Amino acid sequence: MNILFATSEIAPWVKTGGLGDVAAALPPALRRAGMDVRVLVPFYPALAAAFPDAPIVAELPATAGAFPGAALRSATAPDGTPLLLLDCMACYTRSGNPYLGSDGRDWHDNAVRFGLLSYVAALLASTASPLAWQTDVLHCHDWQTALAPVYLRYVLKARAKSVLTIHNLAFQGLFGAHSLRELGLPPQAWSMEGVEYYGHLSFLKGGLQHADHITTVSPTYAREIQTDTDGMGLAGLLRYRSHVLTGILNGIDTEQWDPSTDPHLPVHYKASSLARKDDLKSTLQQTLGLAVTNDRPLFGVVSRLSGQKGLDLLLACADELIALPAQLVVLGSGDAALENAFRELALRHPGQVAVKIGFDEGLAHLIEAGIDAFIMPSRFEPCGLNQMYSLRYGTPPIVRATGGLADTVIDADDKSLGNGFVFSRAEPAELLATLRRAADLWSRSRLWRQLQKNGMAADHSWDQPAQTYVNLYRAL
Ligand code: ADP
């Protein structure tokens, strides 16, 4: 089958979160499962630099609404995945983040930028496709490509079935009513069955109405988003479409995240040589200016710093955590207030707390390997990747029971049958009690080893999820 994978991010070139990782890892896994997958992604500067000679395979004249003219280029990713690069200078030739300007605010023309991406995805899935290669299933991701099923409903004649995957329901692509015209959508799309959402135009809502199938990235999140508390204003629609909504847990890239070969690590280890992890702990302590000692557990965080991630809970109990005693390392960026609060925490605890503000892939790998336990107290978490990286790195995760965290982490008990630590209420006292429980178990090294091995034994590769997607494509 021919699968068109439409995405606004793809690692390693353009990534702001989990979607970038999924777009890089799922297509090759689907190809291994026999699908002919092509990835449609904007020709951002990072991709233009990686593929400067990518030939044009189709010209796309200026069309519906305010879309400027564009072109499709083709390239092949190093892993062999064919890429279709949507070249439109006016839309995508900008530095930095794909969604935000340097002032931290959304680009003013995001409706057109991602409307164009959605439109071209729909075009390639329609009877009017300019390519000889014909799409059987169009797989869209998040609001940035969610308008494609809407174009297939109102503007183009669909040739392919469509799947829309929700990676994070918090981002919905809301724009003013005037966008309807600039997106080239007809007046009848402005309705309850279309893109209208409380007087605004919603990309995601339109996609959820018209996609042939909806998936999200864990079974628990699929249930949570149908409840009024976690449905972010779309629970009613998701309940209405629950017969075509499934949760498929993400995998992780087990080649990039493999402690026995990871090029970011000076020392390698596996389940049978976990003692070597201690060397990585001291390397990490040295690198970050922490006291080099193994007399206390070293906890770690790698995360976007946003309200979703529940790190305010950690800030609220961090002084008590350090007093256990324990050490803490935090790598992240995002919300300025959280960045500052973590910087202050580090200043209060020299040698015991290290905070790095920024995005650093190599350091993220060293942290996963060098810390004893990973903290992820998310308020909501569609799937989460870091807890799976942690499991694979013999670093038990400490998580709140939500979304994909609830589907992957099993609470440890005295017999050490679990693979991490789970708490339920988003309160600092509950987090602290769980951190205490983890520190206690860490000092009982035989039990701790078992916990580490339990986590390392699980298969979180993309093979199984890819097969589940293949079954879905076939059913459609
Ligand atoms: P989300 O997509 O909500 O940000 P996920 O856990 O699904 O959360 O994915 C986050 C991805 O981004 C992981 O690969 C994680 O390692 C990475 N990441 C987040 N913040 C940083 C950072 N400051 N430096 C390096 N990697 C980061």
Side-chain angles (χ1 to χ4, degrees):
M1 290 176 79
N2 293 351
I3 312 297
L4 181 66
F5 206 88
T7 175
S8 60
E9 301 186 17
I10 182 168
W13 302 286
V14 185
K15 162 177 156 178
T16 69
L19 170 59
D21 287 322
V22 172
L26 178 54
L30 290 168
R31 284 168 54 79
R32 287 195 294 277
M35 302 286 105
D36 183 351
V37 187
R38 317 230 158 156
V39 180
L40 173 70
V41 61
F43 197 47
Y44 300 113
L47 282 151
F51 304 103
D53 304 320
I56 290 181
V57 291
E59 297 279 1
L60 307 169
T63 165
F67 294 148
L72 270 183
R73 296 176 180 272
S74 92
T76 306
D79 64 20
T81 305
L83 306 176
L84 289 165
L85 304 164
L86 178 56
D87 186 357
C88 174
M89 253 170 87
C91 286
Y92 309 122
T93 308
R94 300 177 194 184
S95 56
N97 186 293
Y99 317 120
L100 313 172
S102 52
D103 58 0
R105 298 170 62 162
D106 289 350
W107 294 112
H108 69 94
D109 53 351
N110 273 352
V112 169
R113 296 174 69 228
F114 296 105
L116 175 64
L117 179 61
S118 295
Y119 178 77
V120 172
L123 183 69
L124 299 183
S126 77
T127 51
S129 172
L131 299 184
W133 183 85
Q134 297 283 341
T135 305
D136 294 316
V137 176
L138 167 62
H139 192 161
C140 305
H141 299 269
D142 276 349
W143 73 265
Q144 295 89 342
T145 48
L147 222 46
V150 175
Y151 285 114
L152 289 174
R153 165 71 179 75
Y154 293 104
V155 179
L156 294 155
K157 193 168 179 321
R159 187 191 178 280
K161 294 291 182 182
S162 59
V163 177
L164 172 59
T165 296
I166 305 167
H167 296 263
N168 192 334
L169 195 64
F171 304 107
Q172 303 186 353
L174 282 181
F175 299 94
H178 64 274
S179 295
L180 191 75
R181 272 188 58 198
E182 64 183 5
L183 290 166
L185 288 169
Q188 62 269 31
W190 189 259
S191 65
M192 205 177 89
E193 291 74 36
V195 293
E196 193 272 336
Y197 181 75
Y198 296 107
H200 285 75
L201 185 151
S202 168
F203 274 48
L204 187 62
K205 186 225 157 184
L208 294 177
Q209 284 280 13
H210 294 294
D212 293 303
H213 199 94
I214 302 165
T215 72
T216 189
V217 290
S218 69
T220 296
Y221 195 60
R223 285 192 299 275
E224 288 170 344
I225 57 178
Q226 296 179 54
T227 66
D228 292 334
T229 30
D230 297 317
M232 307 231 168
L234 290 168
L237 172 55
L238 289 163
R239 284 197 294 271
Y240 173 68
R241 300 224 66 206
S242 60
H243 58 294
V244 293
L245 167 61
T246 39
I248 303 175
L249 193 71
N250 279 341
I252 56 172
D253 187 327
T254 47
E255 275 173 34
Q256 289 220 12
W257 291 92
D258 181 351
S260 68
T261 55
D262 190 332
H264 298 292
L265 305 182
V267 176
H268 296 119
Y269 62 95
K270 39 189 174 198
S272 57
S273 53
L274 272 164
R276 290 197 207 145
K277 215 168 163 318
D278 292 346
D279 297 339
L280 292 158
K281 181 172 178 177
S282 36
T283 305
L284 181 64
Q285 286 166 326
Q286 268 163 16
T287 310
L288 297 173
L290 290 170
V292 179
T293 170
N294 201 15
D295 71 350
R296 63 194 62 191
L298 171 55
F299 292 90
V301 171
V302 179
S303 182
R304 285 188 292 120
L305 300 181
S306 82
Q308 175 197 337
K309 300 293 178 181
L311 293 165
D312 51 306
L313 305 174
L314 175 59
L315 280 165
C317 68
D319 293 327
E320 285 127 304
L321 169 67
I322 301 311
L324 283 181
Q327 291 180 326
L328 175 67
V329 44
V330 176
L331 168 64
S333 63
D335 188 277
L338 287 169
E339 290 183 354
N340 288 334
F342 275 111
R343 281 197 191 98
E344 278 165 25
L345 181 72
L347 289 175
R348 278 210 302 285
H349 298 284
Q352 303 305 325
V353 176
V355 170
K356 288 273 167 197
I357 301 300
F359 195 96
D360 186 336
E361 186 79 33
L363 184 57
H365 285 244
L366 183 60
I367 290 175
E368 285 287 5
I371 58 174
D372 293 301
F374 192 90
I375 308 175
M376 209 163 166
S378 305
R379 289 209 153 71
F380 70 94
E381 194 61 73
C383 176
L385 296 170
N386 274 305
Q387 84 280 14
M388 292 193 271
Y389 301 153
S390 301
L391 291 169
R392 190 158 164 78
Y393 277 56
T395 302
I398 298 162
V399 306
R400 198 172 91 72
T402 181
L405 301 177
D407 291 333
T408 48
V409 184
I410 307 160
D411 197 36
D413 54 23
D414 252 10
K415 296 177 209 72
S416 217
L417 294 174
N419 60 17
F421 301 85
V422 184
F423 67 102
S424 42
R425 276 176 306 154
E427 286 167 15
E430 272 215 29
L431 172 59
L432 182 61
T434 312
L435 293 169
R436 221 179 239 131
R437 209 151 54 80
D440 181 50
L441 208 77
W442 175 81
S443 61
R444 299 157 74 185
S445 36
R446 208 180 48 80
L447 281 176
W448 190 262
R449 269 285 182 277
Q450 191 53 51
L451 196 62
Q452 292 177 295
K453 287 184 179 169
N454 292 349
M456 293 180 92
D459 174 12
H460 287 290
S461 75
W462 273 104
D463 296 345
Q464 184 52 49
Q467 197 51 55
T468 311
Y469 280 109
V470 168
N471 295 343
L472 169 63
Y473 298 153
R474 290 226 165 92
L476 283 171

